[in-house]
Amino acid sequence: MTIFRIGDIAAFSKGASVPRDRMNIAGDYLYLHYGDLYKGHDLYIDTDQPRKAIPYISSQEKVRDDQFARNNDIIYILTSETIEDLGKALLLKCPQKETVVAGTETTIMRVLRPDLVLPAYLNYMAQTDHFKRVLRQYVTGMKVFRVHPRDVAQIEIDIPSLSVQRAIVSLLDSFHEAIVLNNRINDYLAALLDGQFKRALIGADDSWKRVSLLDIANYKNGLAMQKFRPEGNDKGLPVLKIRELGQGYCGADAERCRSDINESVVIHDGDLVFSWSGTLLLDFWAAGDAGLNQHLFKVTSKNYPSWFYYMWTKCHLNRFIVMAKDRATTMGHIKRSALQESEVLIPPDDTLAELTVVMQPMIDELIGLRIEGRKLKMLRDALLPKLMSGEIDVSSIESLTQLNNHLCDC
């Protein structure tokens, strides 16, 4: 390996600042706003098949030449409200050569020496805990944390040969592609569930009984977990809060609670969780055991399958969000009475059984793919530092997958 300063192999450009109200679902330039990049994008920004829609801006906006991002540029977020989120790096995959502008609070890191380093390898390097620890030595700010690109440019990294880099990227990308495929299948499953549920409701008649959400499921509120901290040798459980539900996992910085809390507020893989305060979210959990914090419901039922109470809660979710906004003096929320007032139609037993045969396997597959995706991420993240440090020798490993377009372009 050879040591290089990042500033000797890459250049930095600050993104263009465009207000939210001037972004649209169509326009002249794709626009990468930092707020959109924290969720929905992992390792790569794929403009051909983005998991999260990328907004557009008009060509009338003031954009400098160096604020247009290119295929294989790394889009760096060097500003954050938390130190843990600081330094998210994403490689831009833009094979169709769309016009892309790096946006508010982003920085373009462009490789100048492709003869020395692959952009994809440098992007993986930026994901390692070691690199992030070095980056955080340069943090400034109290409420909003920042790292200046000139400080990133001073960081020294070990760079192996291009053949070793290609082997490492190919290996790590094989995990990433499996995770992306799982996510894509889950998107299809979610859309199929919605379609099947709407079709089922079209057939509803007088034989369908009218009840409320509270008649088909139990909505168990979590606890103020700060009152249940681990003691002694108890490693405890990570605390599932609204942030963790939104991101789909409990990070290393998640708070912890006692492991012997009541089972009614312990969340396991496959449990349905509904945040009823702040940001209203509804999702199946697939990130291991956790303790449920207050302002979230664990949704269960002794009499109905999970697809049924999930789809009916989801059916009312948009209305709940509007209700929460109307009472958002401090933090918007809904009351339990809103659940009591939400109508549910229960089909006859034979019809419910027929629908369950179709709907429940899709829910089970969705949860299973999420659990598999979590395990793939854990394995990838465990391999990442060992590969980048040279602890695992890849010199004799043949490429596991055909090199991706972003490698072939380098």
Side-chain angles (χ1 to χ4, degrees):
M1 290 192 179
T2 307
I3 298 177
F4 289 91
R5 289 172 60 254
I6 292 181
D8 294 332
I9 58 176
F12 297 85
S13 300
K14 184 177 175 59
S17 182
V18 177
R20 276 281 187 193
D21 59 8
R22 296 213 295 268
M23 299 179 207
N24 297 286
I25 59 174
D28 302 306
Y29 304 149
L30 287 170
Y31 184 74
L32 305 177
H33 187 279
Y34 83 106
D36 297 325
L37 302 183
Y38 277 115
K39 296 179 182 178
H41 301 278
D42 178 35
L43 290 174
Y44 295 97
I45 304 168
D46 188 340
T47 59
D48 277 4
Q49 294 181 309
R51 280 209 73 215
K52 182 177 182 179
I54 302 173
Y56 286 83
I57 61 172
S58 166
S59 58
Q60 300 302 309
E61 299 289 350
K62 293 181 180 179
V63 180
R64 300 193 313 267
D65 288 345
D66 64 353
Q67 293 172 327
F68 288 98
R70 303 174 188 169
N71 188 41
N72 285 321
D73 279 348
I74 295 171
I75 308 301
Y76 224 144
I77 305 174
L78 296 175
T79 303
S80 176
E81 294 180 357
T82 65
I83 292 179
E84 290 75 19
D85 290 334
L86 194 65
K88 182 168 184 176
L90 299 151
L91 186 70
L92 179 62
K93 295 174 67 175
C94 188
Q96 300 303 317
K97 305 298 188 291
E98 294 100 332
T99 305
V100 181
V101 175
T104 303
E105 302 295 356
T106 68
T107 297
I108 298 173
M109 183 162 66
R110 180 171 298 157
V111 170
L112 300 177
R113 295 292 306 273
D115 58 316
L116 294 175
V117 63
L118 301 174
Y121 179 85
L122 186 58
N123 185 53
Y124 274 119
M125 174 70 73
Q127 315 298 325
T128 63
D129 289 339
H130 172 73
F131 188 87
K132 290 179 179 179
R133 283 195 298 270
V134 174
L135 184 76
R136 288 165 189 163
Q137 295 176 10
Y138 299 100
V139 171
T140 61
M142 296 294 290
K143 294 184 178 179
V144 177
F145 303 98
R146 302 178 187 275
V147 174
H148 198 280
R150 66 171 174 266
D151 293 320
V152 182
Q154 300 302 314
I155 297 175
E156 294 183 339
I157 58 174
D158 292 327
I159 300 179
S161 67
L162 288 177
S163 61
V164 170
Q165 291 180 49
R166 287 192 176 95
I168 290 173
V169 170
S170 182
L171 179 59
L172 292 171
D173 272 0
S174 66
F175 287 95
H176 177 73
E177 288 160 7
I179 294 166
V180 169
L181 179 59
N182 281 1
N183 290 337
R184 197 167 293 145
I185 294 172
N186 271 346
D187 289 342
Y188 295 148
L189 286 172
L192 188 56
L193 279 163
D194 288 342
Q196 293 283 3
F197 186 66
K198 290 176 182 177
R199 278 192 285 273
L201 293 185
I202 292 174
D205 55 30
D206 292 342
S207 66
W208 291 49
K209 185 166 61 174
R210 296 177 182 274
V211 297
S212 78
L213 284 176
L214 292 182
D215 293 317
I216 65 168
N218 177 45
Y219 293 77
K220 171 64 177 177
N221 196 19
L223 302 176
M225 288 299 177
Q226 68 270 22
K227 299 179 181 178
F228 299 89
R229 298 297 187 210
E231 298 178 353
N233 295 324
D234 181 16
K235 294 182 179 179
L237 295 171
V239 176
L240 171 53
K241 295 186 175 183
I242 295 173
R243 184 189 72 164
E244 284 72 24
L245 181 61
Q247 66 190 16
Y249 63 91
C250 293
D253 61 329
E255 296 179 20
R256 301 192 75 82
C257 63
R258 284 168 24 193
S259 57
D260 63 349
I261 55 174
N262 191 285
E263 176 62 24
S264 66
V265 289
V266 175
I267 299 297
H268 305 288
D269 286 341
D271 285 342
L272 183 61
V273 181
F274 175 31
S275 69
W276 54 270
S277 180
T279 303
L280 271 62
L281 301 169
L282 178 72
D283 209 353
F284 287 101
W285 185 248
D289 293 352
L292 187 69
N293 200 54
Q294 61 185 346
H295 303 139
L296 293 98
F297 288 132
K298 177 179 179 179
V299 189
T300 59
S301 178
K302 295 181 179 179
N303 301 316
Y304 297 97
S306 60
W307 78 263
F308 190 70
Y309 55 82
Y310 166 67
M311 294 306 301
W312 273 111
T313 307
K314 185 179 179 182
C315 182
H316 293 285
L317 185 60
N318 286 335
R319 184 170 59 86
F320 291 156
I321 291 172
V322 172
M323 293 172 64
K325 286 182 178 178
D326 288 344
R327 61 175 82 241
T329 52
T330 53
M331 186 166 66
H333 63 280
I334 63 167
K335 295 181 178 180
R336 187 171 287 271
S337 59
L339 303 175
Q340 183 64 54
E341 295 163 0
S342 297
E343 187 177 73
V344 170
L345 301 178
I346 301 178
D349 290 345
D350 56 345
T351 303
L352 180 60
E354 291 172 2
L355 289 171
T356 298
V357 169
V358 176
M359 304 286 278
Q360 192 61 43
M362 288 190 281
I363 292 290
D364 295 340
E365 180 68 8
L366 185 149
I367 295 169
L369 286 171
R370 287 188 180 177
I371 294 171
E372 180 181 293
R374 181 191 87 213
K375 293 178 179 178
L376 285 169
K377 284 184 178 180
M378 290 173 63
L379 182 54
R380 181 196 66 191
D381 293 346
L383 285 173
L384 178 62
K386 298 180 183 296
L387 289 167
M388 304 307 276
S389 67
E391 182 179 342
I392 295 179
D393 182 12
V394 296
S395 60
S396 61
I397 298 178
E398 294 184 1
S399 179
L400 299 183
T401 58
Q402 186 176 6
L403 289 179
N404 294 323
N405 290 336
H406 67 271
L407 290 180
C408 298
D409 290 342
C410 296

